[in-house]
């Protein structure tokens, strides 16, 4: 029986992918329990690039040439894959379907709400149990028996996993074979979505009824962002998307509906302009937390540039970015603008009811280097997923559905310095 001991990072030699691959390899190298007997594989289309990256790690991370856009019959052998982490934007859910049907865990760092909605179709009933689909995990027995490994998993997730495993065993007549778990597609991973989802869920749990969540994200322009991240941001500057407002879907445009929020950090009280932007967390949280109104807005640490882009949107000039040539020029420009800091900040504002009275909870999380933060969150989520096999629900799950903020943040702090501040009432 094949041993499933590979963690494959697709796009593993990109700006974020490299950091994810290195962090995963470090987790495995630092493990003394024998639970993390995995091999990290960096995959990508460019054979020379993946080989060069592998050599830079002295072979600690292995290379794999894989054009993810090719036909599935041209894909490499995935029989040893335990977890696949996607760092590239996909056009369809072929790979997700393949992973769920072949007992491979899947993670995706995309912020594309439309793509995540496509993924929602792959529910638990499309899967088969691990016991039928795949070989042994190098850490299965440890993960099943260790209470410590299950810390951070919500009671709901555990109950769902138990019910799902029972239902699947009945449906597939495997009553005599222990069903340890179904493969999980874990999404909404990173900064926004990701930490925003976990913070929102934490705020939600502080209230008896959550009526509104407003998420504000500030990104520093001083950081050297990857080409893929810049391209996605530019593509969204003139986009329209749907959000939930008072329980009803509403179409909004990027860089409109300004809010002025305060981002106090390092004893500064920074006035930040933020505008609507199509991060997927706002669509996800409206469903997973059942909140009537959810919005996510974006601003850059350069208030001048933020307001200038919003002004161009108001004039209709950003519609020109639909032309491929102009879009490439904008990507090139933003890739070379490094004015400002490498700081990021997330402000979470929640309004609701507790003990029959209106309440508001506001938190600010801030740190440095958004790309590094995304990689650290992704690597930790991957470790917790593998540690928790046998307790997680199968199918597509958003991060806030399986992990909780407090235990996740405690582990994250070991490798990612950040500050979390509880704010006063609305200023």
């Amino acid at each position: 029986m094949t041993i499933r001991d590979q963690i494959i990072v697709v796009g593993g030699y990109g700006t974020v992918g490299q950091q994810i691959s290195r962090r995963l390899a470090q987790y495995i190298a630092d493990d003394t329990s024998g639970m993390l007997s995995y091999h990290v594989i960096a995959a990508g289309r460019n054979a020379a690039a993946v080989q060069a990256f592998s050599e830079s790690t002295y072979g600690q991370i292995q290379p794999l040439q894989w054009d993810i856009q090719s036909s599935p019959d041209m894909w490499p052998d995935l029989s040893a894959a335990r977890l696949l982490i996607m760092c590239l934007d996909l056009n369809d859910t072929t790979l997700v379907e393949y992973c769920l049907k072949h007992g491979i865990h899947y993670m995706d760092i995309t912020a594309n709400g439309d793509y995540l909605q496509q993924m929602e179709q792959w529910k638990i009933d499309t899967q088969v149990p691990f016991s039928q689909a795949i070989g042994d995990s190098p850490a299965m027995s440890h993960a099943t028996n260790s209470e410590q490994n299950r810390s951070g998993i919500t009671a709901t997730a555990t109950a769902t996993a138990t019910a799902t495993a029972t239902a699947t065993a009945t449906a597939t007549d495997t009553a005599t074979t222990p069903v340890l778990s179904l493969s999980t597609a874990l999404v909404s991973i990173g900064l926004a979505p990701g930490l925003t989802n976990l913070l929102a869920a934490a705020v939600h749990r502080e209230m008896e009824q959550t009526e509104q969540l407003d998420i504000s994200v500030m990104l520093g322009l001083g950081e050297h962002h990857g080409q893929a991240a810049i391209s996605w941001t530019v593509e969204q500057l003139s986009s329209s998307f749907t959000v939930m407002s008072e329980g009803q879907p509403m179409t909004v445009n990027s860089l409109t509906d300004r809010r002025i929020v305060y981002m106090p950090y390092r004893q500064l009280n920074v006035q930040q302009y933020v505008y609507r932007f199509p991060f997927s967390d706002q669509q996800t949280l409206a469903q997973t937390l059942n909140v009537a109104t959810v919005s996510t807005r974006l601003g850059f640490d350069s208030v001048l540039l933020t307001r200038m882009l919003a002004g161009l949107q108001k004039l209709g000039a950003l519609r020109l970015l639909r032309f491929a040539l102009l879009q490439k020029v904008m990507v090139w420009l933003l890739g070379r603008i490094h004015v400002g800091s490498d700081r990021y900040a997330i402000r979470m504002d929640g309004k609701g009811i507790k003990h029959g009275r209106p309440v508001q909870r506001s938190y600010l999380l801030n740190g440095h280097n958004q790309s590094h933060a995304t990689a650290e969150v992704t690597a930790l989520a991957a470790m917790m997923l593998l540690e928790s096999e046998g307790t997680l629900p199968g199918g597509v799950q958003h991060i806030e559905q399986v992990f909780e903020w407090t235990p996740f943040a405690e582990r994250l702090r070991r490798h990612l310095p950040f500050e979390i501040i509880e704010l006063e009432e609305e200023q």
Side-chain angles (χ1 to χ4, degrees), residues 82-94:
R82 192 67 178 181
L83 167 64
L84 191 148
I85 302 175
M86 179 56 60
C87 301
L88 307 176
D89 281 334
L90 299 179
N91 297 321
D92 59 59
T93 60
T94 302

Side-chain angles (χ1 to χ4, degrees), residues 298-320:
L298 170 67
F300 300 104
D301 63 346
S302 169
V303 174
L304 178 62
L305 178 62
T306 305
R307 298 189 69 180
M308 182 182 73
L309 288 172
L312 292 173
Q313 170 72 304
K314 190 173 183 178
L315 293 172
L318 291 183
R319 287 197 295 267
L320 296 174

Side-chain angles (χ1 to χ4, degrees), residues 81-114:
R82 192 67 178 181
L83 167 64
L84 191 148
I85 302 175
M86 179 56 60
C87 301
L88 307 176
D89 281 334
L90 299 179
N91 297 321
D92 59 59
T93 60
T94 302
L95 181 59
V96 180
E97 177 186 3
Y98 180 92
C99 288
L100 293 179
K101 286 187 174 181
H102 290 81
I104 303 171
H105 295 305
Y106 178 89
M107 289 175 56
D108 203 314
I109 66 172
T110 185
N112 187 328
D114 290 339

Side-chain angles (χ1 to χ4, degrees), residues 24 26-39 138-139 142 383 386-387:
L24 289 170
Q26 194 61 52
Y27 272 120
I28 294 167
D30 291 343
D31 176 56
T32 58
S33 68
M35 294 180 59
L36 302 180
S37 301
Y38 296 99
H39 302 286
H142 295 279
M383 289 296 99
L386 292 171
E387 292 169 358

Side-chain angles (χ1 to χ4, degrees), residues 113-344:
D114 290 339
Y115 181 70
L116 292 181
Q117 288 183 357
Q118 290 182 49
M119 288 181 61
E120 293 284 354
Q121 67 181 299
W122 301 113
K123 301 301 182 183
I124 294 173
D125 59 7
T126 68
Q127 301 170 266
V128 295
F130 277 138
S131 56
Q132 293 185 338
I134 65 176
D136 294 332
S137 162
M140 178 62 76
S141 60
H142 295 279
T144 302
N145 296 323
S146 171
E147 289 298 328
Q148 180 180 3
N149 292 337
R150 291 199 292 265
S151 65
I153 309 302
T154 63
T156 301
T158 304
T160 303
T162 303
T164 301
T166 302
T168 305
T170 303
T172 57
D173 195 24
T174 59
T176 59
T177 303
V179 178
L180 296 175
S181 181
L182 298 173
S183 57
T184 300
L186 186 61
V187 295
S188 297
I189 306 294
L191 192 67
L195 293 186
T196 53
N197 296 59
L198 291 173
L199 267 177
V203 169
H204 174 70
R205 281 190 290 272
E206 293 183 21
M207 303 180 186
E208 295 169 357
Q209 178 182 338
T210 307
E211 298 177 339
Q212 182 171 333
L213 289 170
D214 291 300
I215 305 165
S216 303
V217 179
M218 188 277 290
L219 298 179
L221 291 173
E223 181 179 344
H224 290 257
H225 297 280
Q227 180 83 5
I230 297 172
S231 296
W232 182 83
T233 302
V234 170
E235 289 171 6
Q236 308 310 314
L237 290 177
S238 61
S239 66
S240 298
F241 55 99
T242 302
V243 298
M244 294 301 292
S245 178
E246 297 182 354
Q248 299 297 320
M250 179 177 72
T251 300
V252 297
N253 297 319
S254 288
L255 297 177
T256 62
D257 195 10
R258 182 191 72 185
R259 290 187 71 213
I260 301 176
V261 297
Y262 289 88
M263 298 285 198
Y265 51 78
R266 283 198 171 180
Q267 299 177 344
L268 298 176
N269 211 20
V270 181
Q271 181 174 283
Q272 184 68 48
Y273 287 71
V274 290
Y275 299 83
R276 288 191 180 272
F277 208 74
F279 289 114
S280 62
D281 49 9
Q282 57 201 314
Q283 288 107 347
T284 297
L285 293 167
Q287 298 178 34
T288 61
L289 302 183
N290 191 27
V291 179
T293 301
V294 187
S295 68
T296 304
R297 290 174 172 81
L298 170 67
F300 300 104
D301 63 346
S302 169
V303 174
L304 178 62
L305 178 62
T306 305
R307 298 189 69 180
M308 182 182 73
L309 288 172
L312 292 173
Q313 170 72 304
K314 190 173 183 178
L315 293 172
L318 291 183
R319 287 197 295 267
L320 296 174
L321 292 176
R322 296 171 186 173
F323 293 99
L325 179 59
L326 292 178
Q327 191 174 112
K328 288 181 180 179
V329 170
M330 177 65 85
V331 171
W332 184 86
L333 285 172
L334 289 179
R336 283 153 182 79
I337 295 176
H338 301 299
V339 178
S341 70
D342 67 347
R343 182 176 289 278
Y344 65 84

Side-chain angles (χ1 to χ4, degrees), residues 5-9 12-13 21 25 38-44 50-51 53-55 57-65:
D5 62 355
Q6 293 182 353
I7 303 174
I8 300 177
V9 183
Y13 58 86
S21 299
Y38 296 99
H39 302 286
V40 180
I41 314 293
V50 292
Q51 183 63 40
F53 175 53
S54 174
E55 291 175 358
T57 69
Y58 301 98
Q60 187 180 34
I61 297 168
Q62 300 170 22
L64 175 65
Q65 183 182 14

